[in-house]
Structure formats: C-alpha cells, structure tokens
Amino acid sequence: MLRNGLEPWHLLIVAIMIIVLFGSKKLPEAARGLGKSMRILKSEAKAMKEDGIAQSTAAPAEPAAQGVQVAPGEPAAARGMAEGNPAH
C-alpha cells in the first residue's frame, strides 16, 4: 500500500490545497516575509558567531553576579521566585 509515501501527484494535491486555503494573493506576501525572516536569522546567527569568536580571543571577563535582580515594584511572590525561594 505505502511503497512510496509521497508521489508527485500527492505533492500536486497539497500545492493546490495550499493555494485554495491561503489564496494566490497571500502566498507571495508569505514567501516574502519568510525570506526576510530567514535573512534576519542568518545575519543574527553570523553576528553571534563573530561575537563568540571575539569574546573567546578577548580577556575573560568577571563572572556575572549569582543573584537575580527584581525590579523595585514587583510583588513579594515574584521576588521569592527570583531568589529561588517560592513564596507559598
């Protein structure tokens, strides 16, 4: 029965259903948005990689503080959770 899971006519049916569901006007906009998102993701990943290389060659910085700072208007329950002590 399932000797070949996706045959060409299956892909054709899926493509037709996508066009019917989303409309032919929305698909180019969606593809454009997806392309823009992929470019942003690629540039951010490249920047993170370059930052990692730059940080590894620089002198090691002091370790970050162990405590979690909570904004001064937060309720006491949030402070307890931030400090690792759940307030029941």
Side-chain angles (χ1 to χ4, degrees), residues 70-82 87:
V70 179
E74 293 291 324
R79 287 191 189 124
M81 292 301 289

Side-chain angles (χ1 to χ4, degrees), residues 47-61:
M48 286 176 62
K49 186 176 180 181
E50 289 173 356
D51 286 346
I53 292 171
Q55 285 180 356
S56 65
T57 59

Side-chain angles (χ1 to χ4, degrees), residues 7-72:
E7 294 183 13
W9 66 275
H10 288 137
L11 297 175
L12 180 66
I13 291 174
V14 169
I16 290 171
M17 292 303 297
I18 289 173
I19 291 171
V20 168
L21 288 175
F22 295 108
S24 60
K25 291 186 180 183
K26 294 284 183 180
L27 289 178
E29 294 173 17
R32 206 171 295 120
L34 182 63
K36 184 183 260 188
S37 298
M38 291 302 293
R39 275 181 292 207
I40 291 170
L41 178 66
K42 186 177 178 180
S43 67
E44 290 296 323
K46 184 178 178 183
M48 286 176 62
K49 186 176 180 181
E50 289 173 356
D51 286 346
I53 292 171
Q55 285 180 356
S56 65
T57 59
E62 293 182 24
Q66 294 293 329
V68 176
Q69 295 180 353
V70 179

